[in-house]
Amino acid sequence: MSLSSKGKKRKLTEKTKYSSELEQIKDLEQRISVSKSNYNNIVTLLEYTKDKSPKVIHSALYALYRTFSPLLSKGELQKPKNENLERDKKGLIKIWLRDNYVQYVNTLCNFLRHEEPGLQIPSLNILLNLLKIESTYLTSASGSHQFSNNHYYHVVEGLIDNENFSEPLKTEFVEKYWNTYDDLRFYFLKNASKIINFFLDSGKPKDKVGPVSKKKRLDEKSVDKLNSLMENTFSILENLRTMPTDASEIDEFWTGHPAPELSNSQENDDCEDDSDNMLFDDLFNENFEKEQTKESQKEIPHKKTKKPVLLQLSAHKRVFSDCWLALMKLPMTQESYKRILLIMHKKIIPHMPQPTLLMDYLTESYNAGGVTSILALNGLFTLINEYNLDYPDFYKKLYTLFDRNLMHVKYRSRFFRLADLFLASTYLPAQLIAAFIKRMSRLSLTAPPHGIVMIIPMIYNLIRRHPSCTVLIHNSNEHVNKLGRNHSEIDNLEDPYNFDEPDPMKSNALESSLWEMKTLQDHYFPNVATLAKIFQAKFTKPSYNLEDFLDHTYLTLIESELNRKSKKNKMPALSCERPKYIFPAEESIELIYKSEKFDVNERELVFENMKKGWEVWQF
């Protein structure tokens, strides 16, 4: 028999085996629905979830879902509360079914961590459908709205504590569920903060006395796990688009409205938050029943009707704040750190009940220096402006952020927008404003053209806004007048402005002048030279609109030059004959060599004299 025929036979055998397994799964499911005596088939279906073929696993998962769903909706998976009932056949069957259901739920949560997104997404959908069925039964059984949070906690843990958290899984959860339903978002934030805090606490040494406290808190595996936890949680949080800003916006619920008639709501915060009458509590809490029995024996005083927690905007803000504060305790990469600071002022601070809790985080970020400080500016300014944060060295730190690297970072336009806002007050001292003007002027000497075109309009606006700084344009101090008296002293003349002084009030900026702007009037880029000449004219021109200059790059400058239309009657001069040399002196040297008026020695002497000074242009 040939090799090709053997391969075909093997493929045919695998296909037949695969088809027979699918048929067997359907047959087992059908038998369970026909008679309770076939409940043992559930064990066989659970075994199929361990198969190597993803399609067989997929089929088995949905077969078990269709098997457990009607049982769950009827309460037949509930553990008997009466110990006598546990001993009869019905009670034993319920306990057995319940144990298999718990195993099924754990299997689904494990598939959330599977490498194949084709198994992750169905597992997520099944888990959330089971959550809805379970919560609906609990609500009907108790007469008040219940959310099966113990079940959902397991789902959230499977999502964020996941080394194989794929993009399709994240998109499915965020777009289809998390950004749509208020209850799923609320309990995700609540559970995620608990999970993060649990992992952080578990990394601490148990004995804080003696040599044990000197050991490392976390081993390498724990650090990797915390990094994964941080990245997964943040990737979900940064895609939040439906955080309510008013109680009326809380109106979409996966498990049903918590209070169709608000007057009938009799739930308190603890009952609504934890759904303590969850059927399958032993997934997370084995001592749950004992606690419930003790609580049921206590006399509960009569309370007035209270709005359910899910309908309270303050509760949503509270869990949002707890989740973010827990996340910021986790170790993170520099890239994640920057991404958090980028969305701080728009997506985090507005939804926190106490934004002042971010003071330490933002001040440490602002003191870190570099790009991190630039990105922390927005959030820090929001706290200063709206929540009265006191930061005495704010302008001193802002002054040091103006360095040579600033002109080359991609966040420079964002920084200049904020800097213009911070320096807008007319109550700021002239010495402070002059220091910022001089520092920007000095930076313009080494900045790229697209950076200079931001600096010049900003300096002009600052001088317009603070007339006392006009002295910088033409300073009549003695050290400035020396320039016109004796040119031999120019080399020994020093600018009184001290660029290296970190305190702007001690930089002697008002004693200096804007000689840098005079230098820029001879810049190689004509747009920069034209802008710099604004300081020679009278200050009658209105302030510049900085938005017209902040987003320039090399590309935009080149495109503007290429797209510029030439004026009529001003066509560029074109040479009709290709020149032989860059400089005329080279052509003169060649003519001397060909001339008969000079002998060999004279030619060499003339050649050396004409060549002197042009050595750098030899090619």
Side-chain angles (χ1 to χ4, degrees):
M1 186 181 290
S2 64
L3 292 175
S4 60
S5 61
K6 287 182 180 180
K8 290 180 180 179
K9 187 175 181 180
R10 190 182 299 112
K11 290 182 180 179
L12 186 61
T13 304
E14 292 176 355
K15 188 175 181 181
T16 305
K17 181 183 176 182
Y18 166 70
S19 301
S20 64
E21 287 176 339
L22 294 182
E23 291 297 328
Q24 190 173 357
I25 290 173
K26 290 181 181 179
D27 182 59
L28 291 171
E29 178 189 352
Q30 187 176 4
R31 289 184 181 182
I32 294 172
S33 61
V34 171
S35 173
K36 294 182 179 180
S37 61
N38 296 319
Y39 277 167
N40 285 330
N41 292 341
I42 292 175
V43 178
T44 308
L45 288 174
L46 285 171
E47 288 297 322
Y48 274 114
T49 60
K50 302 175 184 178
D51 195 272
K52 294 182 179 180
S53 172
K55 292 187 177 180
V56 173
I57 297 174
H58 186 276
S59 180
L61 290 177
Y62 272 101
L64 286 167
Y65 168 68
R66 290 187 291 268
T67 299
F68 282 121
S69 294
L71 297 175
L72 188 60
S73 61
K74 296 175 184 177
E76 295 183 12
L77 300 180
Q78 184 178 10
K79 183 178 180 180
K81 294 182 180 179
N82 193 335
E83 294 182 0
N84 294 327
L85 293 176
E86 291 184 11
R87 298 173 184 173
D88 62 11
K89 291 184 178 180
K90 290 185 177 179
L92 291 173
I93 291 174
K94 282 190 174 181
I95 293 174
W96 182 84
L97 285 172
R98 181 171 175 273
D99 291 340
N100 282 278
Y101 174 74
V102 169
Q103 183 182 349
Y104 173 57
V105 170
N106 289 331
T107 301
L108 288 169
C109 291
N110 289 333
F111 276 125
L112 290 177
R113 300 179 175 92
H114 199 275
E115 296 178 355
E116 177 57 50
L119 290 176
Q120 291 179 332
I121 295 175
S123 299
L124 175 66
N125 291 328
I126 292 173
L127 283 167
L128 292 178
N129 285 332
L130 291 173
L131 170 68
K132 177 186 282 189
I133 296 170
E134 191 173 328
S135 299
T136 302
Y137 170 75
L138 289 173
T139 300
S140 61
S142 64
S144 59
H145 180 266
Q146 301 295 327
F147 185 93
S148 182
N149 192 34
N150 285 357
H151 175 93
Y152 190 50
Y153 182 97
H154 217 32
V155 178
V156 174
E157 188 176 28
L159 288 170
I160 63 176
D161 183 19
N162 189 344
E163 294 182 357
N164 296 316
F165 189 62
S166 63
E167 188 67 25
L169 178 61
K170 183 190 76 173
T171 303
E172 180 77 5
F173 176 70
V174 171
E175 300 298 332
K176 187 176 179 180
Y177 299 104
W178 199 62
N179 266 328
T180 304
Y181 300 101
D182 296 300
D183 51 352
L184 295 182
R185 182 188 61 249
F186 177 88
Y187 284 106
F188 174 88
L189 296 170
K190 178 182 175 66
N191 295 334
S193 62
K194 287 183 178 180
I195 294 168
I196 292 172
N197 288 326
F198 172 78
F199 276 107
L200 289 173
D201 293 338
S202 64
K204 296 179 181 178
K206 295 181 180 179
D207 186 9
K208 295 184 180 180
V209 181
V212 180
S213 61
K214 297 180 181 179
K215 294 181 179 180
K216 292 184 178 180
R217 288 190 171 187
L218 302 169
D219 56 16
E220 292 183 1
K221 291 184 178 179
S222 298
V223 171
D224 292 340
K225 197 163 192 174
L226 289 178
N227 288 333
S228 174
L229 191 66
M230 189 275 159
E231 290 296 332
N232 296 342
T233 307
F234 178 64
S235 66
I236 294 175
L237 290 179
E238 70 175 341
N239 286 288
L240 177 61
R241 300 191 307 272
T242 58
M243 186 66 189
T245 56
D246 189 81
S248 61
E249 298 176 3
I250 308 173
D251 54 2
E252 290 288 339
F253 302 95
W254 178 247
T255 58
H257 199 286
E261 297 179 5
L262 199 59
S263 59
N264 294 334
S265 175
Q266 301 292 333
E267 302 156 349
N268 55 32
D269 291 2
D270 294 335
C271 176
E272 179 67 23
D273 267 358
D274 300 327
S275 184
D276 287 337
N277 54 353
M278 161 65 182
L279 293 180
F280 312 106
D281 48 80
D282 63 347
L283 281 171
F284 310 101
N285 188 3
E286 295 178 355
N287 299 321
F288 173 76
E289 279 193 17
K290 295 179 181 179
E291 296 174 2
Q292 280 296 99
T293 305
K294 291 179 181 179
E295 291 181 5
S296 63
Q297 294 174 353
K298 297 179 181 178
E299 292 184 1
I300 302 175
H302 176 71
K303 292 185 178 181
K304 295 182 179 179
T305 300
K306 191 174 182 180
K307 192 175 183 181
V309 174
L310 273 178
L311 296 178
Q312 297 178 16
L313 181 63
S314 59
H316 285 262
K317 287 189 173 184
R318 185 179 68 250
V319 294
F320 177 86
S321 175
D322 292 344
C323 187
W324 272 109
L325 292 175
L327 181 73
M328 291 176 187
K329 298 176 185 176
L330 291 172
M332 61 184 72
T333 61
Q334 190 68 19
E335 185 63 28
S336 299
Y337 196 9
K338 293 177 183 178
R339 285 160 61 194
I340 289 177
L341 293 174
L342 274 171
I343 64 174
M344 180 70 71
H345 65 293
K346 286 186 176 180
K347 292 187 175 183
I348 302 178
I349 292 178
H351 302 301
M352 294 191 72
Q354 289 182 293
T356 50
L357 295 174
L358 296 171
M359 284 182 180
D360 292 339
Y361 184 84
L362 286 172
T363 51
E364 288 179 8
S365 302
Y366 188 53
N367 293 331
V371 178
T372 304
S373 296
I374 295 174
L375 296 178
L377 266 178
N378 255 327
L380 194 63
F381 172 72
T382 304
L383 293 185
I384 293 173
N385 190 40
E386 299 180 14
Y387 300 97
N388 301 320
L389 171 64
D390 185 21
Y391 194 101
D393 294 330
F394 177 78
Y395 283 99
K396 184 177 178 180
K397 182 63 182 177
L398 180 66
Y399 180 75
T400 59
L401 290 180
F402 282 89
D403 58 14
R404 290 179 175 85
N405 296 325
L406 176 64
M407 297 295 105
H408 302 278
V409 298
K410 64 179 180 179
Y411 305 109
R412 63 180 177 274
S413 60
R414 176 193 182 105
F415 175 79
F416 272 92
R417 285 187 183 93
L418 290 172
D420 184 59
L421 187 62
F422 299 145
L423 300 174
S425 175
T426 56
Y427 295 100
L428 293 174
Q431 180 68 33
L432 180 69
I433 299 298
F436 277 96
I437 291 175
K438 273 298 295 181
R439 195 168 184 86
M440 285 188 282
S441 298
R442 188 66 61 85
L443 291 176
S444 67
L445 296 178
T446 55
H450 54 269
I452 302 175
V453 297
M454 288 193 293
I455 291 176
I456 295 177
M458 189 167 180
I459 291 176
Y460 183 84
N461 290 353
L462 287 174
I463 295 176
R464 288 272 302 174
R465 199 179 296 149
H466 304 272
S468 55
C469 295
T470 310
V471 66
L472 292 173
I473 297 177
H474 181 69
N475 203 326
S476 58
N477 288 345
E478 182 179 355
H479 76 280
V480 177
N481 291 332
K482 286 181 181 179
L483 289 173
R485 293 176 184 174
N486 189 355
H487 290 283
S488 63
E489 298 180 3
I490 292 179
D491 295 336
N492 298 325
L493 187 62
E494 293 184 0
D495 191 342
Y497 169 70
N498 186 0
F499 183 84
D500 297 324
E501 171 59 48
D503 189 349
M505 301 298 290
K506 298 178 181 179
S507 62
N508 301 324
L510 273 178
E511 299 176 11
S512 181
S513 62
L514 292 181
W515 58 266
E516 297 91 349
M517 294 297 105
K518 180 66 176 177
T519 304
L520 292 179
Q521 291 178 6
D522 296 321
H523 197 273
Y524 71 88
F525 188 60
N527 290 1
V528 171
T530 303
L531 269 177
K533 291 177 182 177
I534 189 66
F535 295 98
Q536 285 187 334
K538 293 183 179 180
F539 266 56
T540 57
K541 182 179 174 62
S543 298
Y544 286 101
N545 181 14
L546 282 183
E547 291 299 325
D548 297 338
F549 303 92
L550 293 180
D551 296 319
H552 277 302
T553 61
Y554 274 120
L555 181 61
T556 59
L557 294 178
I558 291 173
E559 287 180 348
S560 63
E561 290 296 321
L562 293 177
N563 296 331
R564 179 179 294 177
K565 294 181 179 179
S566 59
K567 297 180 180 179
K568 293 182 178 179
N569 301 327
K570 287 190 177 182
M571 299 300 292
L574 299 176
S575 176
C576 58
E577 184 177 342
R578 184 177 179 180
K580 297 181 181 179
Y581 307 97
I582 297 178
F583 301 103
E586 295 287 343
E587 189 173 0
S588 301
I589 291 172
E590 184 179 353
L591 293 175
I592 291 172
Y593 263 104
K594 294 179 179 180
S595 175
E596 297 179 356
K597 296 181 181 180
F598 304 98
D599 58 18
V600 177
N601 294 332
E602 290 177 338
R603 287 176 186 171
E604 290 294 335
L605 180 63
V606 174
F607 173 73
E608 289 297 328
N609 289 333
M610 295 185 67
K611 184 181 176 183
K612 191 175 182 180
W614 294 98
E615 293 88 347
V616 293
W617 300 105
Q618 292 180 353
F619 300 107

